[in-house]
Amino acid sequence: MVDEVRIQGLGVIDEAVLDLSPGFNVVTGETGAGKTMVVTSLGLMFGGRADPQRVRPGAERATVEGRIVVDPGGRVLDRVEEAGGELDDDTLIITRSVSAEGRSRAFLGGRSVPVSLLINLADDLVAVHGQSDQQRLLQAGRQRASLDRYAGGALTKPMRAYTTAYQRHRQVTALLEELTTRARDRAQEADMLRFGLEEIEKVDPKPGEDAELAAEEERLGHADALRTAATTSHEALLGDPAAVLEAANVVGLLGSARNALDAVRDHDPALAALADRLAEAGYLVSDVGTELAAYAESVEADPARLAAVQERRAELIGLTRKYGETLDRVLEWSRTSAARLTELEGDDDRIEALQAEETELTERLAAEAAELTEVRTRAAERFSEAVTEELTALAMPHARVVVSVTRTPDYGPHGADEVEVRLAPHPGAQPLPLHKGASGGELSRVMLAIEVVFAGADPVPTFVFDEVDAGVGGKAAVEIGRRLARLARNAQVIVVTHLPQVAAFADQHLLVEKSDDGLVTRSGVTALDREGRLRELSRMLAGLEDSELGRAHAEELLQLAAEEH
């Protein structure tokens, strides 16, 4: 249950503390005092929309802090621990703040958490029903969701099976539509790929071939210059064997230098080391000269080969202009395009297979949707009876609620059913949709009856109602108070009300008061004792706190409520 709520800077409330009872709590006050801010604060605490306009003028931020008593072995504690939060003596502290700029922060058990976690926790902790929920109940989707919530576990398995079939059916249908409606585009794409692959296959490029051919063309194009350079270098190193007079050469000079040192090497080890290095240089120069001779013999001008290389290079360059910046990119395009072409050429087979799967999925979808309809129909009968019974306790003894489940030809994400809650306010009346068959007061009581039925089917520890009694008065108001008091026997109930008949049944009566100091309006929340309740109920009844008739009527209401307990 919600044990305590601290509010700062929210709407007209400067600072207030709500000490709540585990039973039936009512919040009353004059119009504009800030009663609705109490419900707003609870909504914020459980992940509601952070509206910066709700921040009190002049305040930097609005803050709501709640102390929630939770089951130490329950699911809520597991979620808190998963988020890294902790309990304080079996009490969970939730804090939510909204800055004037619209920035929102949430804390759970002392740990900063995303707001979405508060929303998830709310499902296990509280059911908040505000005035806007009555309008949402008029929406067909909301009514279907309400029935599904009531059906509970009986709907879980068939809904999961239907959802799986529905999602796959959508995928298959979309793919079939793409394959059939884009047939011309896909055929053109296949022709383009086929042409490119044939062109590449005809040239038959090899990895790295473009670099090898470029090097070969460079060598063939400069064959004479390369051979002359090699021959000249060879003669400089080893001399020209065909020359009549032997000219000086590097090997001969190195030999002379070595011989000069060898003659005296025994006299100085340093000189001997230099002689050895000259010997090594002679061997190295001799080897280079021999290789230069072989190279000069191998280099030949071959115009025919040069033309062939240039032609081959032109073919490869033609491919790179069309299919990739490099030959490797061309080969990669060839591989991916071949796979894509195989996919496109298999469209006929794929279409046939997908059509067969679509037929099978349609049959499966129909079967799963029929099961959903069956489960909903059974739940609708129980739901109708339960809500009708609750309306009897809410001073509508002759009203009858009928939940209609109609099968439609179209499949949606939640099945093929249209769900509509209808009300027959008196015997003989034709059940009509809520927006046509219910007045404001009747709609409030239908909404309360539905929430009470939910409380039995899917109980939560705390229920919050914001003026659920709007448009109600007299005997009906007494019955609403009585029914809320009964609901509070098994759950905590927090109600914002303007009806004394409802407030009289409360276990804890909180008064929201505003005081004007000439500059700002501040609201505070006070827990009323019996005398305070008499004054407040008298004000609500007669508009005067000290009216004798009002006090007498207030005493009568409190006595009536006490008899119920």
Side-chain angles (χ1 to χ4, degrees):
M1 69 165 209
V2 181
D3 181 50
E4 179 186 273
V5 179
R6 292 181 174 271
I7 308 170
Q8 289 183 319
L10 184 66
V12 297
I13 297 178
D14 179 38
E15 185 171 358
V17 179
L18 281 70
D19 289 314
L20 298 170
S21 159
F24 185 11
N25 302 265
V26 296
V27 180
T28 65
E30 295 183 1
T31 300
K35 299 189 299 296
T36 300
M37 288 300 102
V38 173
V39 175
T40 300
S41 69
L42 292 168
L44 268 177
M45 196 168 69
F46 291 106
R49 177 174 172 266
D51 186 355
Q53 295 183 353
R54 295 289 191 182
V55 179
R56 180 179 171 82
E60 293 183 0
R61 64 182 62 252
T63 303
V64 180
E65 179 182 284
R67 297 179 61 87
I68 318 294
V69 180
V70 300
D71 181 359
R75 184 167 56 179
V76 170
L77 178 58
D78 292 339
R79 293 188 180 183
V80 172
E81 291 178 343
E82 287 175 5
E86 297 179 349
L87 296 188
D88 180 14
D89 294 332
D90 294 339
T91 300
L92 173 64
I93 298 177
I94 299 176
T95 305
R96 179 84 184 279
S97 66
V98 182
S99 71
E101 294 79 24
R103 291 189 298 273
S104 170
R105 298 190 67 184
F107 295 87
L108 183 69
R111 188 68 176 262
S112 178
V113 297
V115 175
S116 59
L117 181 57
L118 300 186
I119 297 173
N120 292 334
L121 280 179
D123 293 338
D124 295 319
L125 292 174
V126 66
V128 179
H129 170 61
Q131 298 176 56
S132 60
D133 290 289
Q134 294 185 6
Q135 298 303 316
R136 287 202 294 270
L137 183 63
L138 301 179
Q139 301 170 3
R142 184 78 171 186
Q143 294 179 8
R144 191 265 315 148
S146 297
L147 179 61
D148 287 357
R149 176 183 166 194
Y150 179 77
L155 197 69
T156 302
K157 185 176 179 180
M159 179 58 78
R160 187 182 300 118
Y162 173 85
T163 300
T164 301
Y166 175 76
Q167 291 176 346
R168 179 56 186 165
H169 184 269
R170 288 193 67 186
Q171 292 172 354
V172 170
T173 302
L175 189 53
L176 262 177
E177 183 177 357
E178 179 188 1
L179 290 176
T180 53
T181 59
R182 294 185 56 203
R184 177 178 299 177
D185 294 340
R186 297 171 76 87
Q188 291 176 349
E189 182 184 359
D191 287 343
M192 182 195 72
L193 294 176
R194 197 176 293 111
F195 175 83
L197 289 170
E198 289 174 355
E199 188 174 12
I200 293 173
E201 183 180 3
K202 182 179 179 181
V203 175
D204 191 21
K206 302 296 188 292
E209 183 182 4
D210 50 349
E212 295 175 2
L213 289 173
E216 185 177 1
E217 182 184 7
E218 187 72 13
R219 188 170 59 253
L220 289 171
H222 300 83
D224 291 338
L226 292 171
R227 185 171 57 253
T228 300
T231 301
T232 302
S233 179
H234 170 267
E235 291 176 355
L237 295 177
L238 294 177
D240 183 5
V244 176
L245 296 175
E246 185 176 346
N249 58 74
V250 173
V251 172
L253 293 172
L254 285 172
S256 298
R258 176 190 172 189
N259 291 335
L261 296 179
D262 281 342
V264 294
R265 64 180 295 151
D266 294 337
H267 303 300
D268 188 348
L271 197 62
L274 292 173
D276 291 339
R277 289 171 66 185
L278 282 174
E280 291 176 4
Y283 298 145
L284 178 60
V285 170
S286 179
D287 288 342
V288 172
T290 302
E291 291 182 14
L292 285 170
Y295 178 82
E297 289 292 331
S298 68
V299 176
E300 293 183 5
D302 188 345
R305 176 58 185 167
L306 178 58
V309 168
Q310 291 173 336
E311 183 179 353
R312 178 65 176 174
R313 286 199 69 203
E315 292 177 340
L316 297 179
I317 291 171
L319 294 181
T320 56
R321 286 174 178 169
K322 293 182 181 180
Y323 308 109
E325 296 176 357
T326 64
L327 197 58
D328 288 341
R329 294 283 182 88
V330 171
L331 294 172
E332 177 62 26
W333 184 91
S334 177
R335 285 190 292 271
T336 57
S337 296
R340 175 61 174 163
L341 183 60
T342 300
E343 178 184 341
L344 293 172
E345 289 177 337
D347 278 355
D348 291 342
D349 294 337
R350 291 181 69 202
I351 289 174
E352 185 177 347
L354 287 171
Q355 286 174 336
E357 185 179 3
E358 184 188 35
T359 300
E360 186 272 331
L361 284 169
T362 300
E363 295 173 356
R364 179 178 157 195
L365 204 59
E368 301 291 357
E371 186 173 356
L372 284 181
T373 302
E374 185 177 347
V375 173
R376 283 184 175 131
T377 301
R378 292 197 299 266
E381 293 174 358
R382 300 194 309 272
F383 190 64
S384 300
E385 293 174 0
V387 175
T388 298
E389 184 177 346
E390 284 298 327
L391 288 178
T392 300
L394 294 172
M396 293 177 68
H398 305 298
R400 180 168 56 95
V401 166
V402 177
V403 181
S404 170
V405 180
T406 307
R407 185 71 180 269
T408 67
D410 301 322
Y411 298 106
H414 304 289
D417 300 320
E418 283 186 355
V419 176
E420 187 173 56
V421 180
R422 299 174 180 172
L423 175 68
H426 51 81
Q430 185 72 19
L432 295 174
L434 289 179
H435 66 281
K436 295 181 179 179
S439 65
E442 289 170 340
L443 185 59
S444 296
R445 281 178 280 177
V446 171
M447 191 68 229
L448 176 57
I450 289 175
E451 285 291 355
V452 171
V453 170
F454 281 157
D458 183 21
V460 293
T462 301
F463 290 86
V464 181
F465 297 99
D466 182 15
E467 299 194 9
V468 70
D469 47 24
V472 178
K475 181 180 178 182
V478 174
E479 294 304 328
I480 288 179
R482 182 179 283 118
R483 190 63 191 89
L484 288 170
R486 291 176 187 170
L487 178 61
R489 294 173 186 173
N490 300 311
Q492 182 183 40
V493 177
I494 304 169
V495 178
V496 175
T497 183
H498 65 283
L499 292 180
Q501 297 94 326
V502 173
F505 283 88
D507 300 309
Q508 171 90 309
H509 190 150
L510 301 174
L511 173 64
V512 180
E513 296 178 291
K514 64 177 180 178
S515 60
D516 196 342
D517 59 6
L519 296 175
V520 294
T521 300
R522 297 188 175 185
S523 291
V525 180
T526 306
L528 302 179
D529 56 14
R530 179 175 176 79
E531 178 59 28
R533 295 189 69 185
L534 283 173
R535 290 174 59 84
E536 174 62 7
L537 291 176
S538 176
R539 181 196 66 77
M540 297 171 72
L541 284 162
L544 300 172
E545 295 179 351
D546 299 320
S547 165
E548 292 186 7
L549 289 176
R551 285 181 65 87
H553 193 180
E555 287 275 12
E556 185 179 1
L557 284 176
L558 289 176
Q559 181 63 35
L560 175 65
E563 292 173 358
E564 287 291 325
H565 289 290

